[in-house]
């Protein structure tokens, strides 16, 4: 079995060695010259063939697997549990049987474990194992190399002092490292890449049909779509009706991406036979009509048109007995012109759709909307379509559509104990099946023999490409990727893989090849002053505000105070501190907590659950949470940027942390601002708010980055950039309310590069 190759790779790893090497990589992201390798290659935007695809992706995948194992071991606190060795045998793997001593453990099938002679400490002799089953006796697969196994057993051996020939084994200790299910599913998907129907397009976009054929939808449904979707949403939904190929939809913050997914599901489920081949990519209805008229001229509409039928007999002689015979022979000599028909014209209409996302949260958000609003039938009316949610760790409020709950309910109602048969029936009856990218590779679907010709992946820009391959293995011929490459990328653990673009999504790779990306252009979330900066900085000024945005946003009472204007920058002179592999700034944390307290006191009717606090650094999140806890405010949502992806709040307070100083009299020797300069993180940080954005920062430090400097200058232009007095912050708030102009910063920040001194000529 091909999966055994992957498992052998894992089990033969030297755990202590990869743990040590990971520490070296964590000190600093390696530079290009430090990661040159004979087997690692940067991921290109296109591939020549399947062999090249596998050759480039597999070594990087293995590198990321090692980093994943180390990260899980370092962050999870699984206990070392004592086991008694029972017996062993050799098969595809060496199989060791152990009996639990004491309380029951938490080991599951396919868990990666660490076997040691005592509770593990770095450097101890150990062996990696894979749980094959966990009954009364647990069976563990380990590598077939006899030497490390023998060495471990030798170390754990007790020799009878009175009879040296009599030996016995001490108990072993087993500790869970991580679950391997997702990694195994990614490996399987990569290994089966050559079997995918979309393989050619995934390798290179040149294989995408130049002229697409489309399904059509009922007229009443089309009219309904026109009435409830804006023009960019409608055009994007129309593009998902392609009979074959890949569609990319980019959804900037607040543009109704989830709503567009619902529209896409509605049209796909109600689609009929394909319509004539027209290239409708990003064209208005007027442009389409003009193009049609150019390709199929209609000269009779012109006022000076001379109808040929008026002159048909002008040149005919009086004797016309042979005229029609001659004309018939001319027609017979003419060769018939072939009518173009798409290679994919015989595609069946979508019958069953698989909807996936990289996280449970992204999938559950769509399900929640489907249950609340429903989909549309062929007349444009609400239709409750049978749906199923597969996988675990879903929102408990959605349990009524989870596969396990549906199976339990039907087994009870029908008194049918054949749960596998019931499970198949439910999956067959469902029109749309939802699950994470990982759960789409579980046995639930793999053994069901179901086919999904259409796959929709939400938040596609947050998934590594290999994860995106998992749901495509069920006969997918239509792939719809919905996401935003201008927001957070996929999370990976290997800094080396990051240098080779392993975190680049399939969406982004296809976009770089020149794929048509259908941008949702109307935003409904942010105050116009916030969205103006977001649009200009991250979307080339293509993001527009909803016509009646002011009605949606409202005019909250706190707009009466300068501190809570739509865009506010507060300059704080604090000290940057590096601790526990992260940064924090105590003075900024104090300002943030005082802001929270000030707002709560001034606006008692405001729901403080609609306020969020964001920082790019986990240590700052911990520090702010700690200070709020002292105020008995434990329910405030304080998270890193990653934790707020896909979320929104009325008010966002952002703490940038980085400062020009590391102590009162010591300047910061670091010139840059680290990953604070990452454009995608900045976009997510600033676009979570609806009404007010407050940035707490050292403006003279973060202004070394052009985008942050533009934000500071933008706030100065708006008259909402202020200097915070740090001696007594609570008193500063009182003073500020009385005379805000006293603290206003009015001069825009410029950034001059230091010129290198000219060399003196000898």
């Amino acid at each position: 079995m091909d999966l055994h190759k992957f498992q052998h790779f894992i089990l033969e790893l030297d755990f202590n060695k990869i743990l040590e090497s990971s520490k070296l990589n964590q000190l600093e992201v390696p530079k290009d010259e430090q990661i040159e390798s004979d087997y690692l290659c940067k991921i290109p935007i296109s591939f020549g063939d399947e062999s090249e695809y596998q050759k480039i992706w597999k070594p990087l995948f293995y590198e990321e697997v090692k980093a994943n194992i180390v990260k899980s071991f370092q962050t999870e606190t699984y206990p070392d549990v004592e086991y008694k060795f029972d017996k062993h045998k050799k098969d595809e793997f060496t199989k060791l049987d152990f009996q639990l001593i004491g309380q029951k453990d938490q080991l599951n099938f396919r868990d990666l474990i660490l076997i040691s002679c005592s509770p593990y400490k770095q450097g101890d002799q150990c062996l990696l194992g894979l749980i094959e089953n966990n009954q009364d006796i647990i069976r563990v697969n380990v590598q077939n190399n006899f030497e490390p196994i023998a060495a471990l057993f030798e170390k754990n051996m007790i020799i009878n002092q009175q009879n040296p020939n009599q030996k016995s084994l001490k108990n072993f200790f087993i500790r869970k490292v991580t679950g391997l299910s997702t990694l195994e599913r990614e490996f399987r998907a990569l290994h089966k890449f050559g079997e995918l129907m979309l393989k050619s397009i995934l390798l290179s976009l040149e294989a995408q049909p130049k002229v697409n054929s489309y399904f059509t939808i009922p007229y009443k449904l089309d009219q309904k779509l026109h009435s409830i979707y804006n023009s960019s949403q409608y055009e994007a939904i129309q593009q998902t009706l392609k009979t074959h190929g890949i569609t990319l939809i980019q959804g900037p913050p607040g543009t109704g991406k989830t709503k567009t997914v619902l529209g896409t599901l509605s049209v796909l489920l109600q689609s009929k036979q394909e319509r004539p081949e027209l290239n409708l990519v990003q064209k208005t209805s007027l442009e389409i009509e003009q193009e049609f008229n150019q390709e199929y001229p209609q000269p009779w509409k012109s006022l000076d048109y001379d109808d040929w039928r008026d002159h048909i007999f002008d040149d005919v002689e009086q004797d016309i007995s042979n005229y029609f015979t001659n004309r018939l022979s001319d027609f017979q000599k003419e060769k018939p012109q072939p009518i173009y028909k798409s290679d994919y014209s015989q595609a069946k209409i979508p019958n069953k759709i698989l909807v996936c996302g990289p996280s449970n949260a992204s999938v559950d958000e769509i399900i929640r909307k489907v249950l609340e609003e429903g989909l549309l039938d062929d007349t444009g009316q609400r239709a409750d379509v049978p749906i199923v949610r597969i996988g675990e760790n879903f929102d408990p409020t959605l349990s009524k559509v989870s596969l396990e709950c549906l199976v339990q309910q039907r087994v009870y109602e029908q008194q049918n104990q054949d749960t596998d048969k019931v499970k198949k029936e439910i999956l067959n009856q469902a029109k749309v099946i939802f699950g994470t990218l990982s759960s789409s590779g579980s046995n639930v679907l793999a053994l069901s023999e179901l086919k999904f010709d259409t796959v929709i992946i939400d938040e596609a820009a947050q998934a590594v490409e290999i994860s995106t391959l998992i749901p495509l293995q069920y006969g997918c011929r239509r792939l719809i990727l919905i996401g935003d490459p201008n927001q957070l990328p996929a999370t990976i653990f290997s800094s080396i893989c990051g240098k080779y673009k392993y975190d680049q999504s399939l969406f982004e790779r296809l976009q770089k090849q020149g794929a048509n990306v259908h941008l949702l252009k109307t935003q409904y979330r942010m105050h116009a002053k916030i969205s103006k900066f977001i649009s200009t900085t991250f979307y080339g000024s293509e993001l527009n505000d909803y016509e009646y945005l002011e009605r949606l946003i409202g005019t909250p009472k706190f707009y009466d105070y300068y501190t809570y204007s739509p865009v506010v920058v507060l300059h704080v002179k604090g000290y940057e501190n590096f601790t526990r592999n992260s940064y924090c700034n105590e003075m900024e944390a104090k300002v943030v907590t005082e802001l929270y307290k000030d707002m709560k006191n001034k606006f008692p009717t405001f729901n403080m659950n609609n306020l969020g606090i964001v920082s790019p650094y986990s240590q700052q999140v911990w520090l702010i949470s700690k200070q709020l806890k002292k105020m008995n405010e434990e329910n405030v949502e304080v998270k890193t940027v990653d934790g707020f992806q896909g979320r929104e709040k009325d008010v966002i307070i952002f703490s940038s942390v980085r400062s020009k100083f590391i102590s009162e009299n010591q300047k910061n020797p670091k010139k840059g601002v680290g990953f604070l300069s990452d454009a995608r993180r900045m976009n997510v940080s600033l676009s979570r708010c609806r009404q007010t954005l407050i940035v707490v920062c050292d403006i003279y430090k973060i202004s070394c980055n052009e985008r942050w400097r533009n934000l500071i200058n933008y706030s100065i232009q708006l008259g909402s950039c202020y200097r915070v007095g740090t001696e007594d912050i609570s008193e500063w708030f009182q003073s500020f309310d009385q005379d805000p102009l006293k603290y206003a910063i009015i001069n825009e920040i410029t950034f001059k590069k230091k010129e290198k001194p000219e060399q003196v000529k000898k």
Side-chain angles (χ1 to χ4, degrees), residues 709 749-755:
R709 185 166 66 251
I749 295 177
T750 57
F751 185 73
K752 294 182 180 179
K753 291 184 178 180
K754 292 184 179 180
E755 297 181 1

Side-chain angles (χ1 to χ4, degrees), residues 483-497:
D484 185 6
N486 290 352
Q487 296 189 58
L488 293 183
T491 299
I492 64 172
F493 300 108
S494 169
S495 57
I496 293 177
C497 287

Side-chain angles (χ1 to χ4, degrees), residues 155-168:
K155 184 173 182 178
N156 214 32
M157 197 74 71
I158 302 174
I159 300 175
N160 190 321
Q161 296 296 328
Q162 296 178 352
N163 183 4
N165 293 326
Q166 188 177 356
K167 300 178 180 180
S168 61

Side-chain angles (χ1 to χ4, degrees), residues 309-323:
R309 290 169 295 187
D310 294 339
H311 309 285
I312 193 169
F313 295 111
D314 286 358
D315 300 325
V316 178
E317 299 176 359
Q318 287 186 346
D319 183 8
I320 60 172
S321 57
N322 295 323
Y323 175 78

Side-chain angles (χ1 to χ4, degrees), residues 64 67 98 138 155 174 233 329 510 586 653:
E64 174 64 12
F98 293 93
I138 71 162
K155 184 173 182 178
I174 291 179
Q233 290 172 334
S329 63
L510 294 175
E586 191 169 353
I653 303 173

